Amino acid sequence: MVKFGVGQPARRVEDMRLVSGKGRFTDDISLPGQLYAVMVRSPHAHARIASIDTEDAKAAPGVVAIYTGKDAEEAGLGTVYSPAADMLKNKDGTPIFKTTRWLIARDRVRHVGDLVAMVVAETPAQARDAADLVMVDYEDLPVIADTAGALAADAPVIWEENGSNLAYDWSIGEAEPVEAAMKAAHHVTRVKLINNRIVVAAMEPRAALGNYEADRDHYTLYVCSQGVHGMRTNIAKHSLNIPVEKLRVVTEDVGGGFGMKTFVYPEYPLVLFASKMIGRPVKWTADRSESFLTDSQGRDHVTEAALALDKDGKILAVKVDTIANLGAYQSQFGPFIPSLAPRGMHVGVYMVPAMHNHVRAVYTNTVPVDAYRGAGRPEASYVIERLMEKAAREMGLTPDDIRRRNFVPPSAMPLNAAPSLPFDSGDFERNLNDAMKRADVSGFAARRAAAEREGKLLGLGYSYYVERTAAGMADYARISVDPKDGHVHVWTGQQTNGQGHETAWTQLVSSRLGIDGEKIKVHLGDSDVLPGGAGTGGSKALYMAGGAISDASDKLIEKGREIAANELEAAKADIEYRGADGEPVFVVAGTDKVIDLFAVAKIAEGQADLGEFAGDGEYTQKGNTFPNGAHICEVEIDAETGTYRVTRFTAVDDFGQILNPLLVAGQVHGGIVQGLGQAMGEHAVYDENGQLVTGSFMDYWMPRASDFPDFDVSYNEIPARSNALGVKGAGEAGTVGAPAAFINAMIDALAPYGIEEIDMPVTPVKLWEILQRGRKAAE
């Protein structure tokens, strides 16, 4: 077996480059003669732009140009386009209300940080100084920043042409059977939940470098993205109004994406526009304050939900009613996230006869909300797993028992019994059993008693998550063999944001072609290399890239067989390739006549009719995968101070066939930390004036390594039937399962104080207030 084969815990091939400072991120890229852009942003959450005076700014040292909304309009620039707005209809079949987001605000700003002008200068410092001299006369307008409050009859309307703040009124499932089940049920459990808003806070801030070449009327954009092809199409068609072939988008290393770097932001087409107008490259890099005010944010739901059960604790129906905040504008996939992304996910891993999910999305004077790691699935899992835990308490069942009574059994798969999800594989009870053993649930009572003797409250919380990964799209790959440098070069339509894609693709190609990893070079995003690409998001990268790499490998080998047959004087049908056995050679079956892969590439290079020795692959994934697993969290609260710690966290996951256990562990650990980060302290808080109160790391809590124990992570590999690799996405799973496990553990610990519900984030101050109220009530 070759060194980097599938299934081996190979160390990441990109790490030495990254940790030694040799990574190449967007801000590391510079072009001769480049200028620097700084954006002028609104300090008001809602206001009319009465006038903009740029004269003093234009006269400042180093300033080359300043552009306002009027300039963008006169140049014919378009908008930031949201394809998700075309995917949805209201529940009555009417179109949803679509906002118009100009690249630069024209007459009104709708959130703090809205872009009102762009200053371009010789240096970043000169651009910043000049930006301070741009004088904007604002006329304040009423503000609404509260999610549920946006639907109040007297709420300020931020899109007057819509007549209200309601973006859409959408539902899935049938309301009548659910209401009937609620009335007939032996027991109904109800919860009211807030899924708090999150700042994405990727390590690398957003950045873009635009270059226009007048001699060929062509644009190149260097940008930190999660996929160059989708960004190219969106910017060309909707922002610049140019043919797609006139724009090249390049993304190299990316320091974290989490969904946020999927989207087009105004700054990206604007640096291209400025480059064309000025005739020099233009670079923009966000600072951290800009990131807080302009990067898409996540979550922000207010939900009421109910679970109907019979006398045996079997689920009869699930009902979910959510108000989802979209922010001031519909972001690229913003409308999709609370509706179509989690459609059907509120039933979890359970047999559910009836389900109804009603979603009302609203506009507010806040930063737009879009996909954040998990993108709708964590929100749905949080609802059903909070319901299950609460129902268990109310019905006198244990948390594991109520789940066992309702799990979809392996014998029912593949399942086609909507509204339960269409699982193709899985063994949920096995995962739960293993998690309970590894978490030592049987010893919890003794640990709790010992904690109580020390004035501590101990709680145990369960969560059994499932997520549906992306499908229904095509991806592409290219594999070429270069006899000059002795390397196999690989491109895919995916884009690494730190997940380890270079290692994964190296393993796939190594196993397929029998080439050691040292001879494989993975290249990052370039829209000119491949005809398209699905981009990274929705936990689909491995099976999408794997399918495309497999097809590209097959075509490369097929081309090589033809060359080898001619060189070895044999029939093509007699030529075999032994890559699967770790030998990168073509051989005439039954003989010792052999030719090496690189020798074949050299022959191809020398023949004009053959050209580059390469294979171009394409793959379409039709069926979803359903990664799932049991998370068990144990927390300890100091009853005097409200401080707490997570003492244990156990996860047993089913990701299907695992390509590289080290990569999977990294993804699971990171996902759990982000999920617990939301539950423990992360919170984007806006005041009544639409100001982001938690607008810096001085005020916005971020999780740190010291906040967590060692995670106990293990797997049951139950292959998916929807793809040849048998894999299920792993990138977002930890974020889906962790929040409910933590909150359920907190509620369990606080049960002596009569606490049945507590919203994220759970801070020590919140706990201290709960404990104080409990003591006063007991006096």
Side-chain angles (χ1 to χ4, degrees):
M1 181 181 287
V2 293
K3 182 178 176 181
F4 286 90
V6 168
Q8 298 184 57
R11 291 187 175 275
R12 291 170 32 129
V13 300
E14 56 267 67
D15 280 357
M16 183 56 68
R17 172 173 58 83
L18 294 173
V19 301
S20 62
K22 296 176 182 176
R24 186 170 157 90
F25 299 86
T26 300
D27 192 54
D28 294 323
I29 302 170
S30 291
L31 297 175
Q34 75 185 18
L35 300 167
Y36 298 86
V38 166
M39 306 301 164
V40 180
R41 303 190 182 278
S42 170
H44 302 271
H46 197 198
R48 288 190 184 90
I49 301 173
S51 65
I52 301 179
D53 184 351
T54 61
E55 292 308 308
D56 289 347
K58 285 180 178 178
V63 173
V64 177
I66 298 177
Y67 301 103
T68 65
K70 181 180 178 182
D71 299 313
E73 182 177 9
E74 291 175 351
L77 295 184
T79 63
V80 178
Y81 172 63
S82 168
D86 296 325
M87 300 177 185
L88 285 171
K89 289 187 182 296
N90 289 306
K91 63 182 181 180
D92 62 3
T94 58
I96 73 170
F97 175 73
K98 302 176 185 179
T99 62
T100 299
R101 186 179 187 185
W102 303 113
L103 301 186
I104 305 177
R106 294 185 178 179
D107 58 357
R108 184 180 293 205
V109 292
R110 290 182 168 86
H111 70 87
V112 174
D114 224 347
L115 200 161
V116 296
M118 174 172 66
V119 177
V120 183
E122 295 287 348
T123 70
Q126 289 173 331
R128 282 193 293 270
D129 288 345
D132 289 339
L133 298 176
V134 175
M135 296 292 106
V136 185
D137 184 11
Y138 295 100
E139 296 176 0
D140 280 344
L141 294 170
V143 171
I144 180 65
D146 177 59
T147 301
L151 291 177
D154 59 350
V157 175
I158 69 172
W159 290 93
E160 293 170 351
E161 56 268 49
N162 187 37
S164 76
N165 294 317
L166 182 67
Y168 62 77
D169 188 339
W170 178 91
S171 67
I172 188 172
E174 298 182 34
E176 292 79 7
V178 169
E179 292 301 331
M182 294 287 166
K183 291 178 182 178
H186 172 76
H187 180 79
V188 177
T189 290
R190 301 182 188 277
V191 294
K192 293 182 179 180
L193 309 171
I194 293 177
N195 206 298
N196 47 314
R197 182 184 281 235
I198 298 300
V199 171
V200 177
M203 184 180 293
E204 177 202 19
R206 290 189 298 112
L209 170 60
N211 185 41
Y212 176 74
E213 299 171 73
D215 57 344
R216 63 189 188 111
D217 187 26
H218 188 271
Y219 301 81
T220 300
L221 176 68
Y222 301 89
V223 65
C224 45
S225 79
Q226 291 181 226
V228 294
H229 293 91
M231 188 158 287
R232 176 188 63 175
T233 299
N234 196 327
I235 290 174
K237 287 187 174 181
H238 302 285
S239 300
L240 296 180
N241 300 315
I242 60 173
V244 172
E245 59 270 18
K246 288 186 176 293
L247 174 61
R248 177 191 180 203
V249 178
V250 177
T251 296
E252 299 195 24
D253 289 312
V254 178
F258 313 116
M260 178 268 290
K261 287 181 182 166
T262 301
F263 319 122
V264 173
Y265 294 84
E267 299 89 357
Y268 304 165
L270 284 175
V271 295
L272 294 168
F273 161 70
S275 177
K276 179 178 181 179
M277 298 296 290
I278 299 169
R280 293 168 64 180
V282 177
K283 178 190 279 190
W284 167 81
T285 302
D287 60 29
R288 187 58 66 181
S289 294
E290 277 186 292
S291 297
F292 271 88
L293 296 177
T294 65
D295 293 353
S296 66
Q297 297 177 352
R299 316 302 189 223
D300 204 340
H301 291 183
V302 176
T303 296
E304 294 188 16
L307 184 70
L309 304 110
D310 68 13
K311 60 182 178 59
D312 297 318
K314 293 285 191 70
I315 297 172
L316 299 175
V318 176
K319 178 183 179 181
V320 182
D321 194 319
T322 293
I323 302 172
N325 197 339
L326 299 185
Y329 304 95
Q330 55 200 23
S331 183
Q332 190 162 326
F333 294 110
F336 178 84
I337 303 307
S339 55
L340 293 172
R343 63 192 182 281
M345 300 299 295
H346 292 93
V347 301
V349 290
Y350 309 112
M351 294 294 293
V352 177
M355 184 274 296
H356 186 250
N357 177 206
H358 180 209
V359 179
R360 289 168 292 169
V362 298
Y363 293 116
T364 62
N365 295 115
T366 60
V367 174
V369 177
D370 210 314
Y372 172 68
R373 196 170 188 173
R377 285 97 76 196
E379 295 91 317
S381 182
Y382 184 65
V383 172
I384 185 63
E385 289 306 298
R386 284 285 296 106
L387 281 168
M388 292 298 284
E389 201 93 347
K390 188 176 182 183
R393 285 196 184 88
E394 291 175 347
M395 296 193 71
L397 301 172
T398 62
D400 62 298
D401 188 17
I402 195 170
R403 290 175 169 87
R404 292 179 207 281
R405 296 182 186 205
N406 289 284
F407 278 148
V408 175
S411 60
M413 301 178 194
L415 185 68
N416 185 18
S420 292
L421 294 167
F423 297 112
D424 67 338
S425 63
D427 192 337
F428 310 140
E429 188 165 5
R430 173 186 170 189
N431 295 333
L432 179 59
N433 289 342
D434 289 353
M436 291 178 67
K437 290 177 184 176
R438 298 181 72 94
D440 188 22
V441 171
S442 62
F444 175 73
R447 293 195 298 277
R448 171 176 267 177
E452 288 175 351
R453 289 192 292 271
E454 297 180 5
K456 305 292 176 64
L457 303 170
L458 207 64
L460 190 70
Y462 292 67
S463 171
Y464 200 107
Y465 79 90
V466 64
E467 70 154 321
R468 176 179 48 227
T469 62
M473 58 190 76
D475 212 344
Y476 300 82
R478 181 173 177 79
I479 301 175
S480 71
V481 182
D482 189 339
K484 294 190 187 72
D485 65 12
H487 281 78
V488 173
H489 296 268
V490 184
W491 295 263
T492 78
Q494 298 292 316
Q495 175 62 49
T496 185
N497 300 157
Q499 303 95 322
H501 288 176
E502 290 177 60
T503 303
W505 306 168
T506 296
Q507 288 186 266
L508 288 170
V509 173
S510 178
S511 291
R512 193 75 172 172
L513 298 183
I515 300 291
D516 278 336
E518 291 87 348
K519 294 183 178 180
I520 298 170
K521 174 63 176 174
V522 175
H523 301 272
L524 303 175
D526 186 337
S527 65
D528 276 4
V529 175
L530 300 173
T536 296
S539 299
K540 65 182 184 299
L542 182 54
Y543 54 77
M544 295 296 292
I549 285 173
S550 178
D551 187 45
S553 300
D554 288 345
K555 289 175 179 174
L556 181 77
I557 292 168
E558 189 66 13
K559 187 182 291 187
R561 289 178 64 232
E562 190 168 336
I563 298 170
N566 184 60
E567 187 69 15
L568 299 175
E569 299 180 336
K572 181 180 176 182
D574 293 332
I575 299 295
E576 298 175 349
Y577 185 71
R578 292 184 174 172
D581 299 321
E583 298 179 66
V585 297
F586 295 91
V587 61
V588 179
T591 75
D592 59 358
K593 299 174 71 174
V594 173
I595 185 169
D596 178 79
L597 178 69
F598 290 96
V600 168
K602 190 170 185 179
I603 294 169
E605 184 183 53
Q607 299 182 26
D609 60 325
L610 294 176
E612 181 184 11
F613 185 40
D616 292 294
E618 181 178 353
Y619 176 76
T620 298
Q621 175 71 23
K622 295 181 179 179
N624 304 105
T625 75
F626 293 92
N628 63 89
H631 285 199
I632 299 178
C633 179
E634 193 168 311
V635 296
E636 180 188 82
I637 303 170
D638 187 313
E640 290 298 319
T641 65
T643 57
Y644 66 85
R645 64 190 182 101
V646 178
T647 56
R648 296 179 179 223
F649 198 100
T650 306
V652 176
D653 295 297
D654 168 16
F655 299 130
Q657 193 73 36
I658 290 179
L659 173 72
N660 183 328
L662 288 180
L663 291 183
V664 172
Q667 287 298 286
V668 174
H669 287 192
I672 291 172
V673 166
Q674 282 189 275
L676 291 179
Q678 176 183 7
M680 294 169 66
E682 291 192 59
H683 196 189
V685 179
Y686 289 85
D687 68 15
E688 66 275 10
N689 296 312
Q691 296 291 331
L692 182 60
V693 177
T694 52
S696 75
F697 287 140
M698 292 292 289
D699 303 295
Y700 186 88
W701 185 87
M702 286 287 284
R704 292 166 172 78
S706 59
D707 295 315
F708 307 103
D710 289 336
F711 299 134
D712 184 339
V713 174
S714 61
Y715 320 105
N716 285 321
E717 298 183 56
I718 304 172
R721 303 177 190 178
S722 59
N723 61 82
L725 290 174
V727 301
K728 303 172 185 177
E732 296 164 298
T735 317
V736 181
F742 173 83
I743 293 296
N744 287 335
M746 276 291 176
I747 293 172
D748 185 51
L750 294 169
Y753 291 80
I755 299 300
E756 295 184 354
E757 293 184 18
I758 188 170
D759 282 320
M760 302 184 289
V762 179
T763 63
V765 171
K766 182 182 286 188
L767 284 179
W768 184 82
E769 290 173 347
I770 289 172
L771 294 167
Q772 291 300 307
R773 288 196 300 269
R775 289 191 186 95
K776 290 179 181 177
E779 291 175 355

